[in-house]
Amino acid sequence: AQSVTQLGSHVSVSEGALVLLRCNYSSSVPPYLFWYVQYPNQGLQLLLKYTTGATLVKGINGFEAEFKKSETSFHLTKPSAHMSDAAEYFCAVSVTGGFKTIFGAGTRLFVKA
Amino acid sequence: DAGVIQSPRHEVTEMGQEVTLRCKLISGHNSLFWYRQTMMRGLELLIYFNNNVPIDDSGMPEDRFSAKMPNASFSTLKIQPSEPRDSAVYFCASSLGTAGDYEQYFGPGTRLTVT
C-alpha cells in the first residue's frame, strides 16, 4: 500500500522568500508523485507530477519538485513566494494499476507582505 | 472543454431531507472519483468508478450514501436521509483512466450545509 506524509499543516513565509513544502511517501513499487494546489473555494488542480525520467520536475507558477528515491521524498519548492501563492497544497502518490491516488493531509501556505 | 461540472454549487437543506449532487465528467474521461472535504477530516475519497463500474466504495461512510453512473459522462451522489454531520464540500474528479500516472481533474465542488 502507498501512503503520503506532509510535514507541517501550516507554513508561513514572507513575500519574496523561499517556499519549501515537505512531502514523504511510502511505496513498495515505483511511485508516481503529484502536487496539487487548492485555492479558496475551488477544486484541486495539478501543479506538477513525476512519472519517470528526470527527477527534477517543473510545474506551473514557478514551482518545482525533486524526486529523491533514497529519501522517499518529493518536496515542493519555489524560489520567491508571491501573495497569489497562498493556498493549500496536497502531495499525492499512485502506482501503476493502483486505480486510486492517495492524497496527503495538505499544507496551507500563508504569504506575508 | 468546460472541465468537470458540478451542480449545485451550494445546497442548504434540513436534516432528514434527500440530497442529490451531480457531476459531469470531462469528455473522453472514463474514471470518476467522489471526494468529501472537511476541516476536521481533510480530503476523503468516497467512491470511484472506471468505465461506469464502481471499483471501490469502501470510503462511503454509511448506507445513507449512494452513487451512480447512469452513463459515461454523468454521475450522482445521493444522501438519504441527510444529517448535520454530512455538511462538507463534495468534489468529483475525472481522469483519462486509472493508470497511476493520470492526473485527476477536479470540479469546483458542492458546498453542502445540513441544518
Side-chain angles (χ1 to χ4, degrees):
Chain A
Q2 296 77 47
S3 67
V4 173
T5 302
Q6 291 186 240
L7 300 175
S9 59
H10 298 83
V11 170
S12 181
V13 301
S14 297
E15 193 173 22
L18 171 71
V19 175
L20 171 59
L21 304 183
R22 300 178 187 273
C23 172
N24 287 90
Y25 70 91
S26 174
S27 176
S28 57
V29 298
Y32 302 119
L33 295 162
F34 305 80
W35 276 100
Y36 286 80
V37 61
Q38 184 181 27
Y39 298 105
N41 300 314
Q42 296 185 25
L44 283 68
Q45 58 183 277
L46 184 72
L47 261 183
L48 50 82
K49 67 178 181 181
Y50 167 79
T51 54
T52 57
T55 57
L56 182 62
V57 181
K58 295 187 184 299
I60 61 173
N61 300 335
F63 284 93
E64 61 183 35
E66 186 170 12
F67 170 59
K68 292 188 176 180
K69 183 179 178 181
S70 61
E71 298 177 9
T72 62
S73 69
F74 192 58
H75 301 331
L76 182 71
T77 60
K78 181 175 180 178
S80 177
H82 192 273
M83 297 295 288
S84 61
D85 295 327
E88 188 153 22
Y89 293 79
F90 293 87
C91 182
V93 63
S94 65
V95 298
T96 299
F99 279 113
K100 66 182 181 182
T101 299
I102 308 299
F103 286 85
T107 297
R108 186 168 295 277
L109 176 66
F110 297 92
V111 182
K112 300 174 291 184
Chain B
D1 198 316
V4 174
I5 299 172
Q6 292 188 246
S7 64
R9 293 294 312 277
H10 301 273
E11 176 80 35
V12 180
T13 191
E14 292 183 349
M15 181 174 63
Q17 296 298 305
E18 177 180 297
V19 175
T20 299
L21 310 182
R22 297 173 174 80
C23 176
K24 184 176 185 302
L25 285 67
I26 292 174
S27 178
H29 285 194
N30 65 2
S31 294
L32 182 281
F33 306 80
W34 280 103
Y35 294 90
R36 178 173 68 176
Q37 186 178 41
T38 61
M39 290 292 292
M40 291 296 294
R41 301 175 68 91
L43 189 67
E44 301 174 275
L45 177 63
L46 300 178
I47 184 173
Y48 59 98
F49 296 80
N50 181 240
N51 292 324
N52 305 356
V53 175
I55 303 299
D56 184 350
D57 66 354
S58 61
M60 297 285 259
E62 299 171 35
D63 290 346
R64 299 184 295 106
F65 286 68
S66 62
K68 294 181 179 179
M69 272 198 80
N71 59 57
S73 60
F74 184 73
S75 177
T76 59
L77 178 67
K78 184 177 295 186
I79 308 172
Q80 166 63 17
S82 59
E83 297 183 3
R85 58 191 168 131
D86 301 331
S87 298
V89 181
Y90 291 80
F91 292 101
C92 70
S94 71
S95 72
L96 281 168
T98 52
D101 58 346
Y102 287 128
E103 69 179 274
Q104 294 183 18
Y105 293 78
F106 283 74
T110 294
R111 182 173 297 276
L112 173 64
T113 303
V114 183
T115 61

